[in-house]
Amino acid sequence: MPKDKKSDSRFDVVVAGAGMVGATAACLFAKQGLNVGLLDSHCVADWQTDSVYPRVSAVNVASVNIFQDLGVWQSILDKRASPYQTMRVREDGSDAGISFNAHTMGQAQLGFIIENNAIISSLMEKLRPHYNVSIMESTALLKREVHQNKLVLETDNNQSFECSLLVGADGARSTVREMCGINAALHDYDQDAIVTVVEIEKSHKKTAWQSFLPTGPVALLPLSDGRCSVVWSSDRGFAENLMRLSDDGFCGALSTCFERQIGRIQNCSERLRFPLRQHHAPHYIARYTALAGDAAHVTHPLAGLGANLGFTDAAALAEVVDQARSKGKNIASHAVLRRYERWRQGENALVLTMMKGFKNIFGRTEEPVKTARQCGLNLVDQMPPLKHQFARYAMGLSGDLPKICR
């Protein structure tokens, strides 16, 4: 057993990654009174009031419940959060489709479209005044070593920390996951997502639209200022063509998908493009370490569930840790962390399998498959109990949820 090294600080929990999931986890642990260190290899995003950041998330009811419990929801609402009350999904070139309405679910809305930076900014505003939270921006983790019943972490600025629990919330290419020797093979969809913000001719009426094209799904998501966020997922070659178009050409191509619903589309903002991949880590835990969010799983954005799965991971891990503390147990023991892994790995695997199946089904162009797909969409749309169950799951109102999410 190596000798203990002298450290600069001692934490109960160190969270690697100050994105949406990492910042949520840090807030949850801080609320429990734990001494928390938050590491991020980048500078935390600042909130910009003059422009809409194109990367957005569809935040469901379960995630809203987390933010309400943390006391950050009003701050997020004040930063251009846009509720959507209706969702319409259709197959391009046909009348097949399915729609969901919040009022038929007994809810005020199905969810909210929120800029990722708005969520991070509100969480960081909550964290900064906490005496028991140390935020270390532009700090990368270089080494993780097990020393008896704790971890010693070293960073790229020559600092050393001791902690009882390390949480890897550092994204799809997680350094923490790599340090733990957990191999999560990436499955490349051979698709890219293009995101931007556009102006529309008509009112979006707090409706989220999604159209399935042969090259991939495109979503138009309502924003609070009347514009819409675009997430266009398409085969890589087609995505390259879309990126080469002028702004007017891109808006024209997008208009052909949604012109009947919202009229002419114009004035798109800067277009960002990123590859679409899926992975699911075979293990969520290692000694005194747990993975959450994209570090543990990444799925296709077609249903907008990725961020919500990560928020639920953070809530589940915090609940397991809190229960262990109340019983005087080691918060990072294998038994405690294994409970978290069993809980979330099964739930996430179900969603990832469903999303991969949907992507494959809607990517098929054979006529018999198209006919069956269109009939299936219309059939489900005419079966309220089944549609109700789909909607509840997407809203985070069903499944084995942490208490904070309910």
Side-chain angles (χ1 to χ4, degrees), residues 9-14 29-30 33-37 131-134 163:
S9 300
R10 176 74 169 85
F11 297 102
D12 297 311
V13 182
V14 169
F29 291 125
L34 294 172
N35 190 21
V36 180
Y131 72 91
N132 57 324
V133 177
S134 297
C163 68

Side-chain angles (χ1 to χ4, degrees), residues 5-17 37-39 136 139-147 150-168 175-176 179-180 287-289:
K5 296 182 179 180
K6 186 176 183 299
S7 64
D8 300 313
S9 300
R10 176 74 169 85
F11 297 102
D12 297 311
V13 182
V14 169
V15 180
L38 179 60
L39 305 177
M136 291 157 277
T139 303
L141 190 62
L142 287 184
K143 189 180 292 185
R144 164 193 171 274
E145 293 182 347
V146 178
H147 287 255
K150 65 187 177 188
L151 292 178
V152 174
L153 310 176
E154 294 183 17
T155 66
D156 61 348
N157 54 1
N158 298 316
Q159 293 189 75
S160 175
F161 309 102
E162 293 180 0
C163 68
S164 299
L165 172 63
L166 171 64
V167 179
T175 298
V176 173
M179 288 180 174
C180 294
R287 290 194 69 183
Y288 311 128
T289 305

